[in-house]
Amino acid sequence: MAGYRRRKPLVSYEYGTRVYAPSEGESRYRVVATDADGQRVFAKFSSEDAARHRAREIEGRLASSVLLPGRANAPTTVGGLIDRYLVSLSSRSTRYAERQEYLLRMWVRPVLDVHALSAWTPSDSEAVLDRARRTLAPSTVQNVGSAMRALVTFAYKNRWIPREADPMWLVRYSPTAEVQGQAIGFIPRSSLPTDEECDRLFKALDAAEQATWALAMRLKHRSGLRWGELIALRPIDLDFQNADIHQILRLLSDVGQVNIVTTDDVKGNVTIRMRETPWDQALDVILRSKGLGMAREGNLIRVAPQAVLEKEQEAEIARQRVAVELKPLSTKLVALSYASADKIMPRVQDMLSPRGKVSVDERTNTLIISDIPGNLALAEDLIRNLDTQTPQVLIEARIVEARTNFLRDVGIQWGGSGLGSSAIGNPTGLAFPSTIGVAGGSSDNLTRTDGLLNNQASSPNYVVNLPAAVGTGQGGALGLTFGSVAGNVNVNLRLSAAETTGSVRILSAPKITTLDNVQASIEQGTAIPISVVSAAGVNTQFIDAKLSLTVRPHVTHEGSIIMSLDITRNDPDFSRTGARGDPTILKKQTKTEMLVRDGDTAVIGGIYSRNTSVNYNKIPWLGDIPILGWLFKQRKETDDRSELLIFITPRIVNRQASIAGGR
């Protein structure tokens, strides 16, 4: 063997595997390597291709050696995974371990502590980061994402989750930089090759008679394996009847090129038959069937009963807790500028150790924190991210109301009188009746009825009396009188008409400024006295007729504003009164929630109403005669229109300051 150390190998690989040509007097090629457990590996092959193939196989196993442990003792929840991960940090620096423990406890545990490990998806990871983004600066959010990625990597190493089920798949947690207007720092999903593109690649490899590469690319595409892991794959066949478990573990140790150490509690026989099964999967199944688990310790796989491994983990966690309890405490004063110290104190207390405590100095708005140095730095980082300017939002509401009124009233009055009598030179020629008089039955004492030559006014004696509502400021009327000189025959006609058109536009624009997530209201109006009759008598109550705006805004990270709105406009209507003259209240109200971008205007409500009517007053039967019927009826037409629109415009007053503070 010493000769091989002096000769130059045909080829050397990244992890130290070497292939040597046959020496003098030999016909076989040699492969020399050091496996993941530090053991020397020697193998002989009759051909160079076979030797190189074996060398590449060993290199692949070395590249993927961190993934060799099985899943027999896998945690069931993300919280259990975090506990085991923190135990594994005992070999790392204290500051690193404390920071990882804080990030996982503050941001991952509240969301995923009892979440099933097998059901952990990228959407769950996004939920953790979204929660962190609400209060943390981008750099601290990146630390949370890095801690989750380290947790996932730890699960990969122990084969507790498959690599193809990456819970951090395309989860973006690094601050995005821009180069020439293009975002960098992560690979967008749209940039990844589609299944159709991969299929075209596989077909091209098949057409080029590259069967090995085609198979490898298909397997890598579907499983997500790295090249080293892909090379290390080698299924085996197992067929044992009542075999000692130590012999089977020894066999798997040779096949997998790993070191397996068992405790004295590992005993029993195994009956198993497997075909084309990877050795590590076979090891996982065998251990679970016997209630065993395994733990990786450096380059070793230690096999022990599952209960023993769990007790060891609990003991390690207890040891770390004792180590934390023995560390000396320090005190730090942190003054707050914007947030209230008594409201921040509970959040700071949650991240301290059991020995840590925090108090508030109300006069200076300062937190007094005592704990181990590592937790003090983390607490100060949290306070710095929470003590920022709260966005202020100006809400402007515009209520536009337009009214149009139209009234047309057309009426007619006509009648007369006739008198036949010998006294006035108009005898009837009859003994009886010698005097005849005919006159209308209604009058208004306005129109002349005594002929054209008499200045004295008398009753008009109308036969049809259907006038329009005219008078001063209400319309006009035209009266016609026809009569004889003697006044024994008179005909009176009076036409009246009125038309009213009105247009009213009312604009109300209440404004109010409030802090993010703080409800505010503004109102203006009057109190209307209303009489209430009861057994005790008449009491007066006051009803508010007012314009009010109530709003609770919330500023999102994208700069939009979510608002809960309640807008009310109540007006007294003195045209409609009760029995005691009390006015009615016209009520208009809208309640809604909406999302509007900063500075944009949105229409949140609109009401359009139109009331039309046409009324006729007429003499029965006579008013129905075509054309002539207009002499026997009155027509009244109304058309009332109203339209109400409500606009809302939110603006962030201190946008730049709130963004600089980490919003």
Side-chain angles (χ1 to χ4, degrees), residues 16-48:
T17 304
R18 302 177 301 278
V19 178
Y20 292 93
S23 60
E24 296 182 359
E26 292 187 355
S27 60
R28 307 183 72 180
Y29 293 82
R30 289 184 179 265
V31 175
V32 180
T34 302
D35 64 12
D37 303 318
Q39 302 295 322
R40 299 283 289 177
V41 177
F42 303 95
K44 296 180 180 180
F45 299 90
S46 58
S47 66
E48 182 178 351

Side-chain angles (χ1 to χ4, degrees), residues 273-343:
R273 181 173 182 175
M274 296 182 178
R275 294 183 60 83
E276 299 292 327
T277 305
W279 72 268
D280 52 345
Q281 184 178 351
L283 176 61
D284 183 27
V285 172
I286 293 171
L287 294 181
R288 283 189 294 170
S289 66
K290 304 299 293 185
L292 303 174
M294 58 182 173
R296 189 168 188 96
E297 300 177 0
N299 293 326
L300 298 176
I301 295 178
R302 188 167 66 92
V303 177
Q306 184 66 40
V308 174
L309 295 177
E310 293 177 353
K311 289 181 180 180
E312 292 177 352
Q313 289 183 343
E314 294 175 357
E316 179 63 22
I317 295 174
R319 185 192 65 79
Q320 291 187 355
R321 291 175 179 174
V322 171
V324 172
E325 293 176 356
L326 295 178
K327 290 184 178 180
L329 300 181
S330 301
T331 301
K332 193 174 188 74
L333 303 180
V334 182
L336 282 75
S337 301
Y338 304 102
S340 176
D342 57 347
K343 294 183 178 180

Side-chain angles (χ1 to χ4, degrees), residues 25-207:
E26 292 187 355
S27 60
R28 307 183 72 180
Y29 293 82
R30 289 184 179 265
V31 175
V32 180
T34 302
D35 64 12
D37 303 318
Q39 302 295 322
R40 299 283 289 177
V41 177
F42 303 95
K44 296 180 180 180
F45 299 90
S46 58
S47 66
E48 182 178 351
D49 291 341
R52 288 177 178 264
H53 177 78
R54 175 60 173 167
R56 289 192 296 268
E57 186 180 59
I58 295 174
E59 282 290 296
R61 185 174 294 109
L62 291 172
S64 61
S65 60
V66 296
L67 302 176
L68 294 180
R71 302 181 60 187
N73 61 336
T76 58
T77 64
V78 178
L81 175 63
I82 294 175
D83 293 336
R84 301 195 186 187
Y85 170 68
L86 296 178
V87 171
S88 69
L89 298 180
S90 58
S91 60
R92 305 292 297 271
S93 67
T94 302
R95 181 173 180 81
Y96 177 81
E98 291 176 348
R99 184 170 183 82
Q100 293 293 93
E101 191 274 338
Y102 160 69
L103 294 173
L104 296 174
R105 173 166 54 86
M106 291 295 297
W107 306 108
V108 181
R109 282 191 184 275
V111 180
L112 301 176
D113 191 42
V114 296
H115 195 80
L117 182 61
S118 58
W120 187 5
T121 64
S123 300
D124 301 324
S125 302
E126 289 283 7
V128 173
L129 296 175
D130 288 341
R131 177 175 176 268
R133 292 188 184 102
R134 297 190 185 103
T135 55
L136 300 181
S139 58
T140 310
V141 175
Q142 182 180 4
N143 294 336
V144 175
S146 299
M148 274 202 301
R149 170 54 69 186
L151 186 66
V152 172
T153 302
F154 176 73
Y156 286 160
K157 291 180 178 180
N158 290 276
R159 285 197 179 274
W160 291 334
I161 57 176
R163 183 166 293 275
E164 60 269 18
D166 185 5
M168 296 290 289
W169 172 250
L170 294 182
V171 175
R172 174 186 167 192
Y173 55 88
S174 301
T176 303
E178 289 191 359
V179 177
Q180 297 180 352
Q182 300 292 325
I184 62 174
F186 73 104
I187 301 175
R189 190 181 295 271
S190 59
S191 301
L192 297 176
T194 63
D195 291 340
E196 291 77 10
E197 292 172 338
C198 292
D199 289 337
R200 288 199 296 269
L201 173 62
F202 303 152
K203 292 179 181 179
L205 292 173
D206 292 335

Side-chain angles (χ1 to χ4, degrees), residues 268-476:
N269 297 332
V270 176
T271 299
I272 186 173
R273 181 173 182 175
M274 296 182 178
R275 294 183 60 83
E276 299 292 327
T277 305
W279 72 268
D280 52 345
Q281 184 178 351
L283 176 61
D284 183 27
V285 172
I286 293 171
L287 294 181
R288 283 189 294 170
S289 66
K290 304 299 293 185
L292 303 174
M294 58 182 173
R296 189 168 188 96
E297 300 177 0
N299 293 326
L300 298 176
I301 295 178
R302 188 167 66 92
V303 177
Q306 184 66 40
V308 174
L309 295 177
E310 293 177 353
K311 289 181 180 180
E312 292 177 352
Q313 289 183 343
E314 294 175 357
E316 179 63 22
I317 295 174
R319 185 192 65 79
Q320 291 187 355
R321 291 175 179 174
V322 171
V324 172
E325 293 176 356
L326 295 178
K327 290 184 178 180
L329 300 181
S330 301
T331 301
K332 193 174 188 74
L333 303 180
V334 182
L336 282 75
S337 301
Y338 304 102
S340 176
D342 57 347
K343 294 183 178 180
I344 297 294
M345 182 179 68
R347 300 185 181 183
V348 176
Q349 185 66 58
D350 291 340
M351 61 174 296
L352 300 180
S353 67
R355 294 193 299 158
K357 61 180 181 179
V358 57
S359 58
V360 175
D361 182 48
E362 296 182 357
R363 185 181 66 85
T364 59
N365 198 37
T366 300
L367 291 173
I368 306 172
I369 310 171
S370 297
D371 205 351
I372 60 178
N375 284 355
L376 290 179
L378 298 175
E380 188 176 7
D381 184 47
L382 175 64
I383 295 171
R384 185 175 64 253
N385 286 280
L386 295 179
D387 186 30
T388 59
Q389 282 197 33
T390 302
Q392 295 187 97
V393 184
L394 171 64
I395 310 296
E396 179 181 1
R398 293 189 297 276
I399 305 173
V400 182
E401 184 176 5
R403 301 175 185 171
T404 301
N405 302 316
F406 175 80
L407 171 65
R408 178 180 291 165
D409 192 0
V410 179
I412 187 171
Q413 296 168 287
W414 65 268
S417 63
L419 179 65
S421 172
S422 59
I424 60 175
N426 187 24
T428 63
L430 301 174
F432 179 87
S434 60
T435 301
I436 299 175
V438 180
S442 56
S443 65
D444 64 358
N445 297 319
L446 296 176
T447 305
R448 296 172 63 91
T449 63
D450 54 351
L452 298 176
L453 301 179
N454 196 330
N455 294 324
Q456 183 179 359
S458 62
S459 178
N461 298 322
Y462 285 133
V463 176
V464 177
N465 191 12
L466 298 173
V470 297
T472 303
Q474 293 182 325

